[in-house]
Amino acid sequence: MSDIEKAAKDAVEAAANSQQLALIAAMLQAQQLTQQQPPAPAPAATPSSGSNAKWLVIGGVIVIGGPFLFMSFAAAAMAAAATAVALAISAVALTICLLILRSVWRGTSKTK
């Protein structure tokens, strides 16, 4: 192999090597650009839309309306309890009625 052929071969290898190095450099630069993007800005705080009077009204409604709300729940609980008691009494009465009817039925069927 002559010196010219050797130099040509080295030149071809260097050209291929320089293309690979250029691709690697471009990839590294692209990675750095994607990693250096600034973070998205934080959302702006919304300004207060009302005055302190709004909060005073809300507090007053809670303080005044709270007992009425409690009383309505208490009334509903009392109604539910009364319904449960009525249902229990009805169940006992029905059981007693069925026992009496059964004994009457047995009594009439024994006499026949």
Side-chain angles (χ1 to χ4, degrees):
M1 189 182 257
S2 70
D3 289 335
I4 294 178
E5 290 174 349
K6 190 175 183 183
K9 182 180 172 186
D10 287 342
V12 170
E13 286 179 12
N17 192 17
S18 66
Q19 286 177 350
Q20 287 179 351
L21 289 176
L23 287 173
I24 291 172
M27 273 183 30
L28 289 174
Q29 191 174 20
Q31 271 185 335
Q32 287 176 354
L33 287 176
T34 58
Q35 290 175 355
Q36 291 178 355
Q37 288 181 349
T46 57
S48 178
S49 62
S51 63
N52 290 338
K54 174 177 77 172
W55 295 110
L56 288 174
V57 169
I58 291 172
V61 167
I62 291 173
V63 168
I64 294 171
F68 292 114
L69 184 65
F70 174 74
M71 287 187 331
S72 66
F73 283 131
M78 295 282 278
T83 303
V85 168
L87 186 63
I89 291 171
S90 299
V92 169
L94 180 64
T95 303
I96 292 171
C97 183
L98 287 176
L99 287 173
I100 291 171
L101 283 174
R102 187 178 73 169
S103 90
V104 168
W105 180 262
R106 283 187 180 172
T108 57
S109 64
K110 282 184 183 179
T111 58
K112 288 186 179 181

